[in-house]
Amino acid sequence: MDFAKSMVSSPGPSSSSNLSLVAPSSDEDNNGLRALNVIASNEALMNELGCEAKGLVESHIPRSNTITPSSLCVIFASYASLSFVYATPNQKYSNRNGVFHHNDFIGKEFGVKVPSRCSDGFVYIMRPTVELWAHSLNHRTQICHPLDQSVVTLNLHLKPGSIVLESGTGSGAMSHALSRAVAPNGKVWSYEFNKVRAETANEEFKKNGVDNICTCEHRDVCGEGFGESCGDGGADGIFLDLPEPWTATEHALRKLRPDGRLCSYSPCIEQTQRFVKTLSDSCHSVTTIEVRLKEFCVDTLPALPMEISMPFYYGTEKVDKARKDKVKAEEERKKKEAEEGEQPKRKKIRTRPAAEMRGHTAFLTFATKSVPLK
């Protein structure tokens, strides 16, 4: 994935002159230098003046737009059907839409539409992102979904260069999200008690190009601690996805720096209660939340005729008369429209909750390690 690539330096397009952009040394020079800096940053003006080209050096993460052999590609068949392949010459990928040859998209740009050679079906080859990877990866365990991932990375206060410890690698979905948050010069140390899952995760990290940021180690954190990955007090954030997170609290707090952030991901509230009890003496700002995404649909539809949209009230003479008057007014409106010609149809804006929404995933508990008093 591109976010894990090392930074490179190259001449940037902001200036093509031999003038230097400098800071003023005094108030008298401020206006003059400001004007020179404007000129130096104007590429078109420098070309007219015939100045020698000299671009400003800037650092950036290289971005690959072309699919090459061994590239990770997300196969988009439909919104509910995503999978992935590593582009390999002379290989094939099959799904219900047809058979697709890797040679048909190797050398092309991400986003290309690839037709099947044996049917009318097609797929799109998408550039891999953390979110698409979470939807397409092989689930070796239950994963932390992108909605929860975003809340975790935000509340752990992660930034490029941060050091993060993760316990419970599982399928590696959260490991990729943490890696993107700390890239390009941060580090994620992930731990998994199942040896097969740990080895599989390391293989995927290498294939996906994030092994320079994220490393998985086979270790039972609850019983053995976090090892020597980073010194005591060296971690900026710790994420626990464990069935019994309270057994790892002591080990986590030892590795966490003062004012560092700790998060526990627990499906059951009983797990959360026992975990919070172990934080009372060493942490502050303890908060537990549940994240649910409720979508609303806003659309327009033709307004119903008056006689259909009106509720059917019966009983009193006053109500019946009012109903008859409204029906009569509607008939007169229709008659007038017919005489004047076709009129634009009336529309209503309708807002309603979506028919489906994602239910409970887990309880997220966040805490900040207290700074010891001197």
Side-chain angles (χ1 to χ4, degrees), residues 210-284:
V210 300
D211 56 320
N212 60 319
I213 298 177
C214 187
T215 303
C216 183
E217 182 179 340
H218 173 224
R219 174 182 286 269
D220 180 9
V221 168
C222 298
E224 304 173 13
F226 288 90
E228 303 299 327
S229 55
C230 69
D232 292 351
D236 299 301
I238 296 180
F239 176 72
L240 302 177
D241 185 0
L242 302 170
E244 297 180 354
W246 56 89
T247 60
T249 303
E250 182 180 352
H251 302 299
L253 293 176
R254 185 181 302 115
K255 289 294 183 180
L256 197 62
R257 65 169 174 81
D259 265 347
R261 295 283 286 172
L262 175 65
C263 174
S264 174
Y265 180 97
S266 300
C268 301
I269 193 62
E270 292 80 8
Q271 295 170 296
T272 301
Q273 290 172 338
R274 293 193 63 177
F275 175 68
V276 170
K277 285 183 180 179
T278 63
L279 302 175
S280 58
D281 297 332
S282 305
C283 297
H284 64 88

Side-chain angles (χ1 to χ4, degrees), residues 33 44 54 76 85 99 122 195 221 240 244 271 334 346:
L33 285 175
K54 181 182 177 182
F76 181 93
V85 296
V99 179
F122 60 90
K195 185 176 181 180
V221 168
L240 302 177
E244 297 180 354
Q271 295 170 296
K334 286 184 178 181
R346 295 185 302 162

Side-chain angles (χ1 to χ4, degrees), residues 68-113:
T68 59
S70 74
S71 293
L72 171 60
C73 304
V74 176
I75 309 295
F76 181 93
S78 67
Y79 287 104
S81 176
L82 283 85
S83 57
F84 72 93
V85 296
Y86 295 98
T88 307
N90 304 322
Q91 293 295 313
K92 300 177 183 178
Y93 168 79
S94 302
N95 65 5
R96 63 183 181 182
N97 292 6
V99 179
F100 304 92
H101 294 246
H102 291 204
N103 292 343
D104 292 345
F105 55 80
I106 292 178
K108 297 183 180 179
E109 293 188 353
F110 285 104
V112 64
K113 179 180 178 181

Side-chain angles (χ1 to χ4, degrees), residues 12 21 40 56 64 69 134 142 154 178 218 288 301 312 338 346 354 365:
L21 303 185
L56 298 177
S64 57
Q142 181 182 352
L154 172 67
L178 296 173
H218 173 224
T288 299
L301 71 163
F312 290 87
R346 295 185 302 162
T365 300

Side-chain angles (χ1 to χ4, degrees), residues 37-336:
N37 285 337
V38 171
I39 295 174
S41 61
N42 192 322
E43 181 178 1
L45 182 57
M46 286 299 97
N47 290 335
E48 291 182 6
L49 297 177
C51 292
E52 180 183 353
K54 181 182 177 182
L56 298 177
V57 176
E58 58 185 22
S59 297
H60 61 90
I61 297 176
R63 182 182 178 90
S64 57
N65 296 316
T66 304
I67 303 171
T68 59
S70 74
S71 293
L72 171 60
C73 304
V74 176
I75 309 295
F76 181 93
S78 67
Y79 287 104
S81 176
L82 283 85
S83 57
F84 72 93
V85 296
Y86 295 98
T88 307
N90 304 322
Q91 293 295 313
K92 300 177 183 178
Y93 168 79
S94 302
N95 65 5
R96 63 183 181 182
N97 292 6
V99 179
F100 304 92
H101 294 246
H102 291 204
N103 292 343
D104 292 345
F105 55 80
I106 292 178
K108 297 183 180 179
E109 293 188 353
F110 285 104
V112 64
K113 179 180 178 181
V114 180
S116 172
R117 293 187 182 183
C118 61
S119 67
D120 295 333
F122 60 90
V123 295
Y124 290 95
I125 310 300
M126 310 297 292
R127 181 196 304 278
T129 64
V130 171
E131 292 75 21
L132 290 177
W133 175 249
H135 286 293
S136 61
L137 57 77
N138 298 321
H139 286 210
R140 300 181 288 274
T141 60
Q142 181 182 352
I143 69 169
C144 183
H145 291 276
L147 182 62
D148 290 326
Q149 291 175 5
S150 60
V151 175
V152 170
T153 54
L154 172 67
N155 285 277
L156 285 182
H157 303 167
L158 301 183
K159 60 184 182 298
S162 296
I163 297 176
V164 189
L165 305 183
E166 176 196 19
S167 181
T169 309
S171 302
M174 190 65 200
S175 304
H176 283 77
L178 296 173
S179 298
R180 182 176 62 179
V182 304
N185 53 355
K187 188 65 179 179
V188 177
W189 299 95
S190 188
Y191 300 89
E192 172 62 47
F193 80 96
N194 184 287
K195 185 176 181 180
V196 176
R197 288 202 292 262
E199 293 174 351
T200 304
N202 275 324
E203 292 174 2
E204 287 183 346
F205 294 159
K206 186 175 182 180
K207 288 182 178 180
N208 296 350
V210 300
D211 56 320
N212 60 319
I213 298 177
C214 187
T215 303
C216 183
E217 182 179 340
H218 173 224
R219 174 182 286 269
D220 180 9
V221 168
C222 298
E224 304 173 13
F226 288 90
E228 303 299 327
S229 55
C230 69
D232 292 351
D236 299 301
I238 296 180
F239 176 72
L240 302 177
D241 185 0
L242 302 170
E244 297 180 354
W246 56 89
T247 60
T249 303
E250 182 180 352
H251 302 299
L253 293 176
R254 185 181 302 115
K255 289 294 183 180
L256 197 62
R257 65 169 174 81
D259 265 347
R261 295 283 286 172
L262 175 65
C263 174
S264 174
Y265 180 97
S266 300
C268 301
I269 193 62
E270 292 80 8
Q271 295 170 296
T272 301
Q273 290 172 338
R274 293 193 63 177
F275 175 68
V276 170
K277 285 183 180 179
T278 63
L279 302 175
S280 58
D281 297 332
S282 305
C283 297
H284 64 88
S285 303
V286 180
T287 306
T288 299
I289 63 174
E290 179 189 29
V291 183
R292 294 201 183 192
L293 181 63
K294 187 173 184 180
E295 183 180 355
F296 281 80
C297 301
V298 180
D299 53 11
T300 59
L301 71 163
L304 296 175
M306 184 71 72
E307 61 269 20
I308 297 178
S309 60
M310 284 189 55
F312 290 87
Y313 295 119
Y314 298 98
T316 65
E317 181 180 350
K318 185 176 181 181
V319 172
D320 291 341
K321 183 177 183 302
R323 172 177 167 77
K324 292 179 181 179
D325 292 341
K326 288 185 178 182
V327 171
K328 184 177 179 181
E330 179 67 16
E331 292 176 350
E332 292 178 355
R333 183 188 64 79
K334 286 184 178 181
K335 183 177 179 181
K336 184 177 180 181

